[in-house]
Amino acid sequence: MPVIVERPDPLARLDATTEAVLVLQEIAAAEEPLDDVLGRVGATAARALPGADGATITVLTGEEPRTAAWTDRRLVDIDAGQYAGSRGPCLEAARTHRTVRTVVSACHRQWPEFAAAAEEAGIRATLSAPLLVGAEDGGELVGSLNIYSRTAAAFDPFDEGLLRLYTAAAAAAIINARRWQQSREKTTGLETALTSRAEIDQAKGILMALHGYSADEAFAQMVKQSQHSQIKVNQLARNLLASVRIDGEAPST
């Protein structure tokens, strides 16, 4: 006789996903680096579906896919097997923009690398959903959210719908984190540029005082020395200022 697996009540599953979505609202309001937010999104996702035993997030930005977040290090090896073979449910979800539900024992022919790695880790079922952000302009692909279970009958179509609901809410947290990170990087870059400009101006002033150069002549001398020594102008200025502070006099330039 076939084994009948009793699934959790749909309302109980909906409640679990609703609680996870509420946590996402807190994550979206936080100011944290993108990978930290992805880690929290993945950890919360593992609690969004009662049949889940762990989760990872695959990110497709850059030259190669990578696992940006995970709840169990062993799950990273399952993702790595898919990346090595360039096939598997997490990549399928990302590429097709569709949720992919699998039973590992039925995937040996289609995705042998994934099936072997999953069985070695004791995983028997997975559910992967695409992570999309920027839906207002057609959806920019980030990667996929991957849920893993040690129970073959862990997921059904209702869980697919719940995971789609969760990933739609997760996009807001990811968008906020990416914007915050980009803003911070721009601010850091501006601070660096302003610091470099101040150091160059100070170095120009030293050369003007020492050699009677005009501001343009002092800068031209710095550019000439920069090209000769293959050192960036801002680094050359920094070296000159350091020499003044240490030796009490500036080198001739």
Side-chain angles (χ1 to χ4, degrees), residues 78-229:
I78 302 177
D79 290 354
Q82 298 178 67
Y83 307 155
S86 192
R87 55 186 176 180
C90 74
L91 295 178
E92 184 79 5
R95 290 166 178 167
T96 64
H97 298 195
R98 296 198 306 268
T99 303
V100 178
R101 176 166 52 97
T102 67
V103 176
V104 173
S105 61
C107 296
H108 283 275
R109 180 172 294 181
Q110 184 180 13
W111 299 316
E113 299 89 355
F114 156 74
E119 288 185 342
E120 184 175 349
I123 296 299
R124 297 181 179 178
T126 70
L127 187 58
S128 294
L131 271 177
L132 299 167
V133 298
E136 67 277 0
D137 56 5
E140 178 184 346
L141 183 61
V142 173
S144 61
L145 172 61
N146 315 299
I147 309 296
Y148 294 91
S149 178
R150 297 184 181 91
T151 303
F155 308 122
D156 61 19
F158 187 74
D159 294 304
E160 291 185 38
L162 292 178
L163 188 58
R164 285 194 296 270
L165 173 65
Y166 178 85
T167 54
I174 294 170
I175 290 171
N176 183 72
R178 189 171 62 176
R179 287 174 177 168
W180 178 84
Q181 184 164 301
Q182 289 172 343
S183 176
R184 180 160 187 149
E185 289 171 352
K186 288 180 180 178
T187 300
T188 301
L190 179 59
E191 289 173 348
T192 300
L194 291 174
T195 300
S196 297
R197 175 62 183 270
E199 290 171 336
I200 290 171
D201 285 343
Q202 290 177 50
K204 283 166 54 179
I206 291 172
L207 295 178
M208 291 165 66
L210 287 175
H211 304 292
Y213 294 146
S214 67
D216 289 343
E217 288 172 339
F219 186 70
Q221 286 296 322
M222 292 176 65
V223 171
K224 181 178 178 181
Q225 182 63 24
S226 170
Q227 294 171 342
H228 177 73
S229 58

Side-chain angles (χ1 to χ4, degrees), residues 64-92:
E64 299 291 339
R66 68 183 179 94
T67 300
W70 59 89
T71 59
D72 186 330
R73 184 71 197 184
R74 291 172 296 180
L75 301 178
V76 179
D77 294 333
I78 302 177
D79 290 354
Q82 298 178 67
Y83 307 155
S86 192
R87 55 186 176 180
C90 74
L91 295 178
E92 184 79 5

